[in-house]
């Protein structure tokens, strides 16, 4: 495989080059591909060409997303180097995002994300509710590395930005309908146009559903399905030539079955007795999983919000912006952590979250100076109710749970209620100065203060000795502050080539362990920080028919927050599983990225994205690893594959009468990677195979017909054509019933899509 990777790397570098968004920088489907298209981004909070932005980013135009058949943000997986973007473990509405080995995969409400997600400059505080359908977008931007000086909060790994289309004075309409296997139906529509000479309205909506990839062979119930609906309304008002006002409102609903995985080993109860015997090596996944009967086994999400954005050009040089937003999110997720018919660890997680944010921003520009400064405020309230069903976990203990005479079984349910209030305040300033016609210098600073108030109570359904050991948890208020800086320099070697160097810091707030059931777990963890050094080049040649962008970086990642499992003995001498959160140590993450796009002949476009990552723990303290001096630094960091690669191409074939066919294909490679922080046995270097995914390739293809007017198109899309079985995530809860569960990507799928544009 090493020779294969080297050959693929050489081939990809030879035939392609990178754009800042190579995938997106190809020509729109209505235009014949004769050159690489540029795209304007707002990565630095001002509009500029992606090729002139001195940082690593990938941008996707809305037309490109539609042309390639992308339906959700997770369809970008593989198209951005060193990005992991998959559905989160156990929940159909959460997203696991890692950029350059930095991320946070746990959807528990007390864990902050490490990659900031923004929709029209509004920050989304939770990874729940970020499994976005791609609806009427102008573009998507993926910013790699810390973005702490310009973006709301928690952008220690990078930022994912979705930018909606703004209604204008030209009438525009688009509709699409798609059908695919697993009874997939996706219907979308959008329309926008003028109401008056100064006011425009935009409306968009979608409904998307699909049967489940996973079936319970005993009941026939389907899981890992989809059933989502979303609507959005946008008003764009330009009451004066120097004033722009945008008001958006959106609503989304997700109503699906659970997302379930596969148990990777035998399960036990708390006394150590075998509860369910499974093979020592998990068999090849066949998309069949037993689930616990008698529970709803479903996920429910509703989210809505609105945002008011105003931009006032005070003068030709000074612009004042205001971004005001309010959002709510409500979920009822049933989870089957053990992925079996037993109640080893089944749970309901019901979350009510609301957030209000306000940002005031000033932009000042002259011929040589661009200055951006602002104030940011966020207030978030998250309350949750959880029920943990553990009948089979607590079976055969000395102090048995109460006996359910109606069903003839022992029952055990733990109830947990908690409440988190977060207040975040920040002030920031960024300056860019054009020293000469070729040299620019930039600097930024951001000061952040955060306060978190957390209260937690837990109780169970019995007053027996065992059940009285439930732990009340109400930690004090946590207060955190940080000053992050950014320094960069870029030099325009020629109109076609720019080189840059950048230093950036990132910060993620501390917090409290939302899974604590013992005094030892009731700990506050401190913030984590990252310092990234990056150099890069953005180039284009051959009359803009060839683009090659490269970046190399080193990230020093300190005090990372790790959730680790353990086992303790309670006051009654009985075992109890622990799930602690610690500031485990530090990582050094070294890597490089190549993105390219080329148009070697008319109508033919080739592109590639290549990422290399070498992530190593420099420190990972864990007292349980006595044989290694209390260190786990030998383990593999999670979601940090050494190689991510994609090689793609498309060809536009002209037909008689003016219509055309576009053929496209892509091959995506991901090398071996760990899927959980805990990926060896305790006090052992023995790897847990179920917590790893071996290297694999995925192959996609499409053919799209466009009519002569370019108003109508019909496309056939195929994903994972080789029907590869691969893991996307894993959960290690071995202290609770020896649970290790892996989650899998979708099997081979196809889709036919009709689109009309006006």
């Amino acid at each position: 495989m090493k020779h294969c990777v080297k050959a693929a790397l050489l081939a990809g570098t030879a035939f392609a080059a990178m754009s800042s968004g190579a995938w997106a920088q190809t020509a729109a489907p209505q235009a014949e591909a004769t050159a690489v298209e540029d795209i304007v981004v707002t990565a630095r909070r001002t509009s500029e060409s992606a090729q002139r932005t001195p940082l690593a980013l990938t941008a996707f135009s809305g037309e490109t997303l539609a042309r390639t058949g992308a339906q959700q943000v997770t369809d970008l997986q593989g198209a951005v180097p060193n990005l992991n973007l998959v559905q989160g473990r156990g929940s159909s509405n959460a997203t696991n995002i890692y950029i350059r080995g930095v991320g946070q995969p746990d959807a528990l409400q007390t864990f902050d994300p490490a990659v900031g997600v923004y929709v029209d400059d509004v920050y989304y505080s939770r990874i729940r509710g970020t499994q976005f359908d791609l609806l009427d977008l102008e573009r998507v931007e993926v910013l790699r590395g810390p973005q702490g000086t310009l973006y709301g909060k928690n952008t220690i790994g990078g930022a994912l930005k979705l930018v909606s289309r703004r209604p204008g004075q030209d009438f525009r309409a688009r509709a699409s309908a798609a059908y695919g296997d697993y009874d997939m139906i996706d219907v979308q529509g959008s329309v926008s146009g003028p109401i008056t000479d100064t006011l425009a309205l935009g409306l968009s909506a979608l409904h998307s559903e699909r049967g489940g990839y996973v079936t319970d062979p005993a009941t026939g119930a389907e899981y890992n399905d989809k059933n989502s609906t979303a609507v959005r309304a946008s008003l764009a008002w330009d009451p004066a030539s120097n004033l722009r006002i945008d008001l958006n409102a959106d609503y989304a609903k997700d109503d699906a079955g659970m997302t379930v995985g596969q148990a990777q080993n035998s399960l036990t109860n708390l006394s150590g007795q075998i509860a369910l015997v499974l093979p020592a090596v998990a068999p090849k996944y066949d998309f069949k999983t037993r689930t616990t009967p008698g529970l709803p086994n479903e996920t429910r999400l509703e989210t809505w919000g609105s945002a008011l954005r105003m931009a006032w050009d005070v003068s030709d040089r000074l612009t004042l912006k205001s971004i005001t937003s309010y959002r709510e999110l409500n979920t009822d997720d049933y989870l089957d952590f053990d992925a079996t018919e037993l109640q080893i660890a089944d749970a309901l997680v019901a979350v009510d979250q609301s957030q209000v944010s306000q940002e005031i921003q000033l932009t000042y520009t002259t011929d040589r100076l661009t200055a951006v400064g602002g104030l940011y405020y966020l207030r978030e309230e998250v309350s949750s109710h959880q029920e943990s069903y553990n009948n089979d976990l607590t079976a055969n203990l000395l102090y048995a749970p109460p006996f359910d005479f109606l069903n003839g079984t022992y029952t055990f349910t733990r109830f947990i209620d908690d409440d988190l209030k977060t207040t975040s305040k920040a002030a920031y300033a960024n300056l860019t100065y054009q020293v000469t016609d070729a040299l620019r210098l930039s600097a930024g600073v951001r000061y952040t203060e955060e306060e978190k108030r957390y209260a937690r109570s837990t109780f169970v359904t019995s007053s027996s000795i065992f059940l009285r050991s439930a732990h009340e948890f109400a930690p004090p208020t946590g207060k955190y502050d940080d000053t992050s800086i950014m320094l960069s320099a870029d030099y325009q070697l020629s109109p076609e080539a720019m080189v840059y160097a950048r230093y950036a810091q990132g910060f993620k707030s501390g917090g409290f362990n939302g899974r604590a059931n013992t005094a030892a777990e009731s700990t506050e963890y401190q913030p984590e920080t990252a310092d990234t050094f990056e150099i890069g080049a953005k180039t284009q040649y051959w009359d803009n028919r060839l683009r090659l962008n490269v970046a190399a970086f080193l990230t020093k990642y300190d005090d990372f927050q790790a959730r680790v499992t353990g086992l303790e003995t309670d006051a009654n001498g009985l075992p109890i599983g622990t799930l602690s959160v610690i500031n485990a140590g530090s990582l050094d993450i070294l890597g490089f990225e190549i993105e390219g796009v080329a148009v070697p002949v008319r109508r033919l476009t080739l592109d590639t994205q290549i990422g290399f990552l070498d992530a190593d723990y420099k420190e990972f303290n864990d007292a349980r690893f006595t044989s290694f001096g209390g260190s786990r630094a030998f383990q593999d960091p999670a979601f940090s594959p050494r190689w991510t690669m994609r090689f793609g191409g498309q060809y536009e074939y002209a037909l008689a009468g003016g219509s055309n066919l576009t053929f496209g294909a892509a091959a995506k490679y991901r090398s071996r990677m760990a899927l959980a922080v805990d990926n060896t046995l305790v006090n052992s270097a023995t790897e847990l195979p179920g917590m790893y995914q071996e290297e694999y390739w995925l192959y996609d293809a499409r053919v799209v017909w466009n009519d002569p007017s370019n108003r109508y198109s019909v496309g056939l899309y195929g994903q994972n054509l080789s029907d590869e079985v691969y893991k996307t995530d894993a959960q290690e809860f071995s202290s609770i019933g020896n649970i290790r569960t892996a989650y899998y990507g979708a099997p081979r799928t196809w889709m036919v899509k009709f689109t009309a544009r006006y």
Side-chain angles (χ1 to χ4, degrees), residues 374-551:
L375 300 173
Y376 179 80
Y377 173 84
L378 172 74
R379 172 71 172 177
E380 180 193 25
E381 296 187 10
V382 188
S383 61
S384 79
H385 171 74
Q386 302 171 51
E387 298 177 8
S388 181
Y389 313 114
N390 309 110
N391 295 353
D392 296 296
L393 179 68
T394 57
N396 299 319
L397 291 178
L398 178 62
Y399 301 99
F403 191 76
D404 182 346
F405 290 97
L406 181 63
N407 297 309
T409 60
Y410 288 108
T411 61
F412 178 96
T413 304
R414 184 186 298 277
F415 298 89
I416 301 164
D417 291 279
D418 65 4
D419 185 75
L420 173 67
K421 293 181 173 63
T422 300
T423 302
S424 180
K425 304 173 184 177
Y428 62 89
N430 281 258
L431 300 175
T432 298
Y433 185 71
Q434 191 85 39
V435 180
T436 69
D437 290 343
L439 176 64
R440 287 189 306 179
L441 300 179
S442 301
V445 62
R446 186 187 193 96
Y447 176 72
T448 303
E449 285 186 355
E450 289 200 9
E451 179 181 283
K452 292 186 176 182
R453 297 178 180 270
Y454 183 60
R456 173 184 169 92
S457 63
T458 175
F459 62 96
V460 292
T461 55
S462 173
S463 60
S464 70
I465 296 175
F466 173 69
L467 298 175
R468 279 203 301 265
S469 65
H471 181 67
E472 296 294 328
F473 186 58
T477 299
K479 295 184 178 182
Y480 317 99
D481 63 84
D482 175 77
T483 300
S484 298
I485 66 170
M486 183 280 300
L487 301 170
S488 77
D490 60 88
Y491 191 84
Q492 199 74 27
L493 298 172
S494 69
E496 295 80 21
M498 180 189 76
V499 294
Y500 69 89
R502 184 173 188 265
Y503 168 72
Q505 295 180 320
F507 159 81
K508 191 177 87 167
S509 179
F512 301 99
N513 182 11
R515 287 198 176 95
N517 291 311
T518 69
E521 297 171 278
S522 306
T523 54
E524 176 187 5
Y525 50 89
Q526 297 303 311
E528 57 185 28
T529 60
D531 293 75
T532 293
F533 306 84
E534 179 179 315
I535 58 173
K538 298 189 175 185
T539 64
Q540 51 194 29
Y541 308 99
W542 199 14
D543 295 329
N544 292 339
R545 293 168 61 187
L546 174 65
R547 182 172 293 167
L548 178 65
N549 291 0
V550 296

Side-chain angles (χ1 to χ4, degrees), residues 24-71:
Q25 307 286 356
T26 57
Q30 294 84 359
E32 186 178 275
T34 58
V36 177
E37 184 186 27
D38 197 8
I39 190 168
V40 174
V41 298
T42 54
R44 298 199 299 172
R45 306 302 290 272
T46 59
S47 298
E48 59 187 339
S49 165
Q51 286 300 104
R52 288 288 286 138
T53 305
L55 58 89
L57 70 94
T58 304
F60 303 87
S61 70
E63 284 299 327
T64 296
L65 295 170
R67 171 175 55 81
T68 57
Q71 294 180 287

Side-chain angles (χ1 to χ4, degrees), residues 248-264:
N248 300 330
D250 64 89
Y251 171 83
K253 181 179 181 180
D254 181 57
D255 186 1
M258 291 189 304
T259 296
V260 294
Q262 179 192 45
Q264 300 294 295

Side-chain angles (χ1 to χ4, degrees), residues 120-260:
D120 296 329
D121 289 327
V122 174
Y123 173 71
Y124 281 52
S125 296
R126 304 291 107 201
I127 68 172
R128 290 182 186 273
T130 58
Q131 189 70 203
F132 299 119
D133 288 286
L134 302 177
L135 176 64
D136 199 27
L137 293 177
E138 179 182 322
R139 68 182 183 276
V140 174
E141 300 175 18
V142 181
L143 284 59
R144 302 191 290 279
Q147 309 295 326
T149 64
L150 276 173
Y151 287 90
K153 65 191 295 286
N154 297 333
T155 54
I156 188 171
L160 171 66
K161 293 183 57 180
L162 282 73
V163 181
S164 302
R165 292 188 186 276
R166 188 176 193 256
Q169 289 299 303
D170 294 326
F171 176 80
R172 182 180 60 84
R174 184 188 191 105
S176 67
Y179 177 79
D181 54 358
Y182 296 93
D183 295 321
M184 187 277 285
I185 297 174
D186 184 277
V187 180
Q188 298 190 20
S190 62
V191 61
S192 67
I195 298 177
T196 69
D197 290 342
T198 60
L199 183 65
L201 172 66
L203 300 172
S204 55
L206 71 82
H207 178 74
S208 184
E209 62 182 62
R210 170 182 43 77
Y213 297 137
V214 179
T215 303
D216 186 328
T219 65
E222 292 185 355
Y223 302 104
N224 300 48
D225 58 330
K226 183 181 181 184
N227 186 5
S228 60
T229 301
V231 295
R232 179 183 178 85
S234 302
L235 276 174
W237 185 31
D238 299 322
S241 61
N242 64 340
L243 180 61
R244 298 172 300 282
I245 300 175
D246 292 273
L247 177 63
N248 300 330
D250 64 89
Y251 171 83
K253 181 179 181 180
D254 181 57
D255 186 1
M258 291 189 304
T259 296
V260 294

